[in-house]
């Protein structure tokens, strides 16, 4: 099996072990953080990241796929420090996380030039380090696949075709963005077995998700704990039905947890928990509640667990 880039260098895919396919050790706007650093407490951010990742490690997690890209405050030095202090491998990406906005820098350059930036992260290193990106990230959300979003998708696709690097695409089933995202990748000649459409578990429309799987991609059931989008029980029903339909080899289960996030004032997390918008959102929820529930439903045994948490991420990252 081929190797996978982590923030501590390349490892054999077979050594990735138990993988959480979508978690963030920190999520913040790099422009705000750069302009007003006093608004951020880096020590507290690091403590939150270490606490979250150590808790996952206690549940047997060996590797975290970390899809923080541009506009999420990607910082591979921060990630490397977390990996060194916890012993958990972190798999970094390149790409742009935008629902539409692009800086003038990229507005006035074409998709091929944008792709060159991603390829540099993949082949040479990120942010002046020798840490190389293991996958590509793009996003489509409520505004749909706008011209700018399409441009990012095409740049990601071209970098993937050029380098053989896999893709993770944030999606919004409510719009729904998934089919058009897949179509763009197909038009660009991407190997669909290297594509993961994230956040498909935000819908309980199993046929919608299955239609994406039928086009050859992986789907992320990766926002467990974000009750406001879909409660855990409903997410479990969707996961169980996809397993009953024989799709174990195409599923990624994760939480999209952010150990810290600057989108809301500090007190908002408690407000959201109190209002039921999030519940037990963490890097351990899937092991504490979801896996036991799926075992109870009779759709997950040790073999299926291994398929979803060990084999699928390794295959997506290296196939
Ligand atoms: Zn995410």
């Amino acid at each position: 099996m081929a190797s996978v880039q982590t923030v501590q260098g390349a490892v054999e895919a077979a050594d990735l072990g138990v993988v959480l396919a979508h978690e963030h050790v920190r999520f913040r706007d790099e422009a705000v953080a750069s302009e007003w650093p006093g608004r951020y407490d880096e020590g507290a951010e690091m403590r939150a990241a270490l606490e979250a990742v150590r808790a996952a490690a206690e549940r047997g997690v060996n590797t975290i796929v970390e899809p923080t890209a541009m506009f999420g405050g990607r910082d591979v030095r921060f990630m490397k420090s977390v990996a060194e202090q916890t012993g958990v491998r972190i798999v970094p990406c390149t790409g742009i996380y935008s629902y539409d906005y692009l800086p003038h820098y990229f507005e006035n350059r074409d998709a091929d030039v944008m792709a060159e930036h991603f390829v540099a992260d993949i082949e040479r290193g990120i942010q002046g380090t020798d840490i190389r990106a293991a996958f590509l990230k793009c996003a489509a959300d409520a505004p749909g696949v706008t011209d700018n979003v399409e441009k990012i998708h095409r740049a990601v696709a071209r970098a993937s075709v050029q380098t053989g690097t896999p893709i993770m695409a944030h999606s919004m089933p409510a719009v729904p963005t998934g089919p058009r995202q897949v179509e763009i990748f197909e038009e660009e000649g991407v190997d669909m077995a290297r594509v993961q459409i994230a956040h498909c578990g935000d819908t309980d429309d199993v046929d919608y998700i299955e239609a994406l799987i039928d086009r050859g991609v992986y789907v992320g059931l990766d926002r467990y704990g974000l009750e406001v989008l879909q409660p855990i029980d409903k997410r479990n029903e969707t996961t169980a039905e996809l397993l009953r339909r024989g799709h174990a080899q195409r599923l990624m289960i994760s939480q999209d947890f952010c150990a810290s996030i600057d989108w809301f004032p500090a007190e908002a997390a408690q407000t959201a928990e109190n209002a039921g918008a999030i519940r037990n959102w963490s890097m351990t929820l899937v092991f504490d509640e979801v896996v036991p529930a799926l075992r109870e439903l009779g759709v997950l045994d040790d073999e299926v667990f291994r398929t979803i948490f060990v084999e699928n991420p390794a295959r997506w990252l290296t196939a």
Side-chain angles (χ1 to χ4, degrees), residues 34-91:
S34 165
E35 296 297 332
W36 295 281
R39 292 276 177 170
Y40 294 79
D41 181 343
E42 186 124 359
E45 290 168 343
M46 179 57 75
R47 285 192 295 279
L50 294 175
E51 185 187 347
V53 174
R54 282 184 180 133
E58 281 167 20
R59 308 307 195 277
V61 171
N62 306 110
T63 302
I64 289 172
V65 176
E66 221 290 14
T68 306
M70 183 178 178
F71 297 133
R74 181 183 65 156
D75 180 344
V76 290
R77 291 177 180 87
F78 185 90
M79 291 181 201
K80 187 177 182 186
S81 179
V82 173
E84 284 172 346
Q85 294 182 68
T86 59
V88 174
R89 294 185 196 90
I90 297 180
V91 176

Side-chain angles (χ1 to χ4, degrees), residues 22-24 27 67 97 137 168 170 199 223 256-258:
H22 193 135
E23 311 293 340
H24 301 273
F27 205 102
Y97 175 83
K137 178 79 186 288
M168 179 194 291
H170 165 117
H199 311 330
R223 279 180 152 178
D256 197 9
F257 182 65
C258 302

Side-chain angles (χ1 to χ4, degrees), residues 159-178:
S160 176
V161 168
Q162 191 182 325
T163 62
T165 303
I167 296 170
M168 179 194 291
H170 165 117
S171 75
M172 188 176 193
V175 175
T177 61

Side-chain angles (χ1 to χ4, degrees), residues 74-272:
R74 181 183 65 156
D75 180 344
V76 290
R77 291 177 180 87
F78 185 90
M79 291 181 201
K80 187 177 182 186
S81 179
V82 173
E84 284 172 346
Q85 294 182 68
T86 59
V88 174
R89 294 185 196 90
I90 297 180
V91 176
C93 73
T94 184
I96 299 177
Y97 175 83
S98 173
Y99 299 167
D100 184 50
Y101 169 76
L102 271 182
H104 298 308
Y105 177 96
F106 281 123
E107 241 178 17
N108 298 319
R109 291 169 171 84
D110 65 21
D112 287 321
V113 174
M114 188 187 282
E116 287 171 12
H117 293 68
F118 303 153
V119 170
D121 281 359
I122 292 163
E123 295 186 339
R124 296 206 291 275
I126 299 167
Q127 297 167 342
T129 72
D130 59 1
I131 297 169
R132 290 160 60 185
F135 66 104
L136 291 141
K137 178 79 186 288
C138 54
D141 203 90
V145 182
T146 65
D147 288 350
N148 283 342
V149 165
E150 177 172 342
K151 183 174 181 176
I152 297 166
H153 278 61
R154 292 199 184 279
V156 157
R158 288 170 199 180
S160 176
V161 168
Q162 191 182 325
T163 62
T165 303
I167 296 170
M168 179 194 291
H170 165 117
S171 75
M172 188 176 193
V175 175
T177 61
R180 178 62 184 143
Q181 292 174 283
V182 167
E183 189 173 63
I184 292 169
F185 296 144
E186 286 172 345
E187 287 170 3
E188 293 287 339
V190 172
D191 176 357
M192 300 314 285
R194 312 303 310 283
V195 174
Q196 177 183 165
I197 304 296
H199 311 330
C200 291
D202 289 354
T203 181
D204 60 357
D205 184 345
V206 178
D207 292 337
Y208 166 84
I209 300 172
E210 189 171 49
L212 292 174
I213 291 173
D214 286 345
R215 292 167 82 166
V217 303
Y218 293 90
V219 295
L221 310 173
D222 50 17
R223 279 180 152 178
Y224 272 99
L226 293 176
E227 299 287 285
V228 62
L229 296 166
Q230 198 73 229
I232 292 172
D233 287 352
K234 281 215 154 194
R235 290 181 188 273
N236 281 340
E237 283 173 29
T238 301
T239 304
E241 181 57 21
L242 288 165
L243 288 169
R244 286 187 204 104
R245 295 189 190 184
H247 298 306
Q249 294 200 339
R250 285 290 176 238
L251 309 184
M252 306 282 188
I253 294 181
S254 212
Q255 294 126 149
D256 197 9
F257 182 65
C258 302
S260 59
I261 182 164
D262 72 347
W263 285 14
F264 310 99
E267 63 275 15
Q270 193 56 52
T271 308

